[in-house]
Amino acid sequence: MNALTIGGSRNIGYYSSVRLLDAGWNVTFLLRNPSVFDADETIQEYIKSGKAILVKGDALVEQDVKRAWEEAASHGPEGKVDLLLFTVGGTPNISIRRGLYIIPDNLVTQSLLNVLRTMPPTSKQPLPKIITVSSAGLTKASYKSLPLLLKPVYSLLVNAFKDKVGAECIMSHVCNWDWNPADGEPEENILPKGWQDLPGLPAKGSLSDVALVIRPVLLTDGECVAEKGERGNEPPYRVQDVNDGEIGGWTVSRKDVAHFVAQAVTERWDEFKGKRVNVAY
């Protein structure tokens, strides 16, 4: 199997990609700085075996993303990419006026537009599975479900969340999901007017059977409890379709979200495709 990872230099994208590599997949990484893996013994072994492919480029540059798709396709049977894993996120800045924010304001949204608009033609092969990672707390219902003491933390993320709202609006469009305008409409610095008609953007509803949006609660750098069995007989983490209600929760580790990503792709796709899900302990 063959994956393209955008945002895989660290965190959920990295841990998920390593799990896929361990399972025998080919994984192509689009990286602004491929040197990020120079001292990574795990990735280096997969580079030597030809399973991990590094492409230098920036997801904000459309031609770089197009080249990453082409490189990924060249490593799959019949030029096929089986999975797009999109986990782009910026390092937050903080100011008194803006709270937490990222630069540029539309990092995630513009990167996602570039990725979807440069997808190879699919007339001769199936669409790839598409997984994007968003966040809990974006919508009014999701924010309401958060533990009371966490709400001030999420309030600091208002500006950074505008970018994720833009990305969710894109996914809602291409998957034909309802998006409540009360949950926020992207400003023009996030999504330009008429973005739905941008050349190359998949048609409305065309990705409804191949996409999964993951909305984890507050992320930690903790261990993967799904592997260590630290929760005894309890499920290692909870996963729920947001259409069945928001599950709230305090935290979940990035490594456990990656565990879910790998499980969803390799074992439980029919259960989760076409959904937006929360993940939390």
Side-chain angles (χ1 to χ4, degrees):
M1 305 296 282
N2 191 31
L4 171 61
T5 294
I6 311 288
S9 64
R10 57 183 182 154
N11 297 334
I12 295 171
Y14 172 82
Y15 299 128
S16 301
S17 297
V18 169
R19 284 187 172 275
L20 295 176
L21 287 164
D22 289 345
W25 286 52
N26 296 328
V27 179
T28 298
F29 295 82
L30 177 63
L31 302 163
R32 284 182 294 176
N33 297 302
S35 61
V36 70
F37 290 151
D38 283 356
D40 189 314
E41 294 181 4
T42 299
I43 298 296
Q44 287 300 318
E45 284 300 314
Y46 284 117
I47 292 172
K48 291 174 185 176
S49 69
K51 289 292 186 180
I53 302 95
L54 311 187
V55 176
K56 181 176 174 58
D58 190 333
L60 288 170
V61 179
E62 186 176 328
Q63 285 303 310
D64 287 356
V65 180
K66 185 175 185 294
R67 183 161 44 84
W69 274 113
E70 292 168 350
E71 181 66 26
S74 73
H75 295 277
E78 301 179 357
K80 177 185 174 186
V81 176
D82 299 288
L83 170 69
L84 165 67
L85 178 59
F86 181 88
T87 60
V88 171
T91 301
N93 301 278
I94 188 167
S95 74
I96 295 175
R97 183 175 64 87
R98 300 186 65 188
L100 291 171
Y101 65 99
I102 58 173
I103 298 175
D105 291 332
N106 65 343
L107 171 65
V108 178
T109 302
Q110 186 59 53
S111 297
L112 182 59
L113 277 177
N114 288 342
V115 170
L116 295 180
R117 292 177 63 207
T118 56
M119 282 177 58
T122 56
S123 56
K124 297 182 180 180
Q125 60 190 27
L127 288 163
K129 299 169 183 173
I130 297 173
I131 293 182
T132 68
V133 176
S134 184
S135 175
L138 289 183
T139 66
K140 290 184 180 298
S142 180
Y143 183 81
K144 185 178 180 180
S145 74
L146 295 171
L148 183 62
L149 294 179
L150 267 188
K151 290 182 178 180
V153 176
Y154 277 77
S155 295
L156 292 173
L157 297 170
V158 169
N159 283 300
F161 274 180
K162 290 178 181 179
D163 191 16
K164 290 189 179 291
V165 166
E168 288 239 11
C169 283
I170 294 169
M171 293 305 297
S172 295
H173 175 76
V174 297
C175 294
N176 201 27
W177 293 329
D178 290 333
W179 179 261
N180 186 346
D183 290 325
E185 291 288 343
E187 300 171 2
E188 284 193 49
N189 65 319
I190 303 296
L191 268 176
K193 284 185 177 179
W195 61 269
Q196 297 92 334
D197 299 317
L198 286 170
L201 186 69
K204 184 176 182 179
S206 60
L207 304 184
S208 58
D209 290 332
V210 298
L212 166 63
V213 174
I214 301 173
R215 295 176 178 174
V217 294
L218 192 66
L219 293 165
T220 75
D221 290 323
E223 292 301 313
C224 179
V225 301
E227 287 183 339
K228 299 182 71 174
E230 291 180 349
R231 297 177 67 85
N233 293 325
E234 295 182 35
Y237 45 74
R238 297 172 295 152
V239 181
Q240 182 166 297
D241 184 347
V242 300
N243 289 331
D244 296 329
E246 305 280 350
I247 61 176
W250 286 90
T251 63
V252 68
S253 76
R254 293 175 174 89
K255 290 180 180 178
D256 271 316
V257 177
H259 181 274
F260 170 66
V261 168
Q263 273 213 336
V265 170
T266 60
E267 301 176 23
R268 305 173 69 182
W269 188 249
D270 286 342
E271 181 181 350
F272 292 112
K273 67 180 181 181
K275 294 181 178 179
R276 293 166 288 188
V277 300
N278 291 140
V279 182
Y281 291 141

